[in-house]
Amino acid sequence: MEYSKNLTRKEIEQSELDRKFGEVYESVGELRHGLMIVERDEKFGAIDKNGKIIIPIKYWYLNDFYKKVAVICVNETEEMADEMELEEWLAIEEDVIKQGLINNKGNLVTPIKYDDIAMEYCLPKFRSGLLKVKLDGLYGFINIDGEEIIPPTYDDARDFSKHGFAQVKKGEKWGVINTAGEIVIDIKHEQIWENDGKICYFIATNNLKCEWYDHSGKFLSNDEVDKMLDKKGK
């Protein structure tokens, strides 16, 4: 088969793979980290460029790989269907979806137990080396090896920033932690934001009043805030 001279070698290789496996699978994804995500009978898995199945084609969904790991999903409701009475099945208002991480060798990096794993553009959303997860309604963070660096204990959480801080919530109050899970700013504020620019600082609000903190969690006086902002503007 002849290809346009404008195509790159990678694009030609992908076209060949699409043609080779397009009749075998309902969809064939782009070759990444040595694998292509494929779909058959509404189930997902992954094959290598030779067609060898690396991740069994049995999962409810398989997202794209990032640094050789991907978010994988199972539909527990579907898997329990054979054991349920028709009335039970019809009474279900929403499917129970569980997520985990799998690597490009086909090995599970975490159990498929999480209610949600943070993603961006179908990729696991690692920030400062950590990935936000949700388990039994609570939030925590894991690393790329699947270790729970910060166990799910928070009622809400935001992704880590490039400075290595995340805002976390317990009850109705917010605070800040670092990548070791240490509390940098006490969890006692109505809201808290981080300046994600060159100079890292935080603004917390309580009863419509603002409080300023530096990256170490030190409370800043008005004079210290003025000096910091003046330095930032230079």
Side-chain angles (χ1 to χ4, degrees):
M1 179 179 291
E2 294 186 2
Y3 292 97
S4 168
K5 293 181 179 180
N6 295 324
L7 292 178
T8 65
R9 183 176 179 179
K10 181 179 179 181
E11 290 171 332
I12 292 174
E13 180 184 28
Q14 186 64 50
S15 295
E16 288 289 340
L17 293 170
D18 291 342
R19 184 173 60 84
K20 181 178 180 180
F21 299 112
E23 295 182 0
V24 181
Y25 298 103
E26 294 164 21
S27 66
V28 179
E30 183 180 344
L31 182 66
R32 292 182 178 178
H33 300 288
L35 293 183
M36 295 177 291
I37 296 172
V38 294
E39 178 187 5
R40 184 168 61 197
D41 298 328
E42 299 184 343
K43 298 293 183 182
F44 291 83
I47 61 174
D48 64 17
K49 64 181 182 180
N50 297 314
K52 181 181 178 181
I53 296 175
I54 305 301
I55 298 176
I57 306 166
K58 65 178 185 177
Y59 294 102
W60 187 74
Y61 200 74
L62 175 60
N63 291 277
D64 291 330
F65 283 85
Y66 171 79
K67 292 187 176 180
K68 300 184 180 181
V69 298
V71 176
I72 201 162
C73 309
V74 299
N75 187 327
E76 290 192 341
T77 306
E78 285 186 358
E79 294 187 354
M80 294 186 299
D82 292 338
E83 304 173 6
M84 300 173 67
E85 298 292 337
L86 179 59
E87 292 78 8
E88 291 181 283
W89 174 261
L90 294 175
I92 295 175
E93 297 181 358
E94 186 175 349
D95 287 350
V96 176
I97 309 298
K98 295 294 182 181
Q99 302 178 350
L101 288 183
I102 196 166
N103 64 24
N104 67 335
K105 302 296 183 183
N107 301 317
L108 287 175
V109 178
T110 72
I112 305 175
K113 66 177 185 177
Y114 295 106
D115 304 319
D116 188 53
I117 294 178
M119 287 188 289
E120 187 173 49
Y121 304 115
C122 294
L123 300 172
K125 192 179 180 182
F126 284 95
R127 294 292 183 270
S128 293
L130 295 179
L131 179 64
K132 183 172 67 175
V133 296
K134 184 180 181 182
L135 179 64
D136 297 332
L138 298 175
Y139 293 86
F141 296 85
I142 63 175
N143 64 16
I144 202 163
D145 296 318
E147 300 169 321
E148 287 189 351
I149 303 302
I150 301 170
T153 56
Y154 295 103
D155 295 311
D156 200 355
R158 299 179 184 134
D159 298 311
F160 272 92
S161 70
K162 65 183 180 182
H163 298 295
F165 300 104
Q167 294 100 63
V168 293
K169 184 181 184 183
K170 278 196 172 183
E172 297 299 320
K173 301 297 183 180
W174 287 87
V176 174
I177 60 173
N178 61 23
T179 53
E182 300 165 333
I183 295 176
V184 177
I185 298 177
D186 289 338
I187 304 172
K188 64 178 184 179
H189 303 282
E190 294 174 359
Q191 278 292 347
I192 193 163
W193 296 271
E194 177 183 352
N195 173 62
D196 207 18
K198 185 176 181 180
I199 297 177
C200 177
Y201 59 88
F202 301 91
I203 303 174
T205 59
N206 293 290
N207 298 320
L208 301 178
K209 294 181 180 180
C210 291
E211 297 177 356
W212 296 63
Y213 297 85
D214 68 9
H215 66 278
S216 70
K218 176 181 176 292
F219 175 79
L220 299 175
S221 67
N222 291 336
D223 287 342
E224 289 173 318
V225 171
D226 290 340
K227 289 180 182 178
M228 179 183 67
L229 295 180
D230 182 59
K231 181 179 178 181
K232 178 184 175 183
K234 291 181 179 180

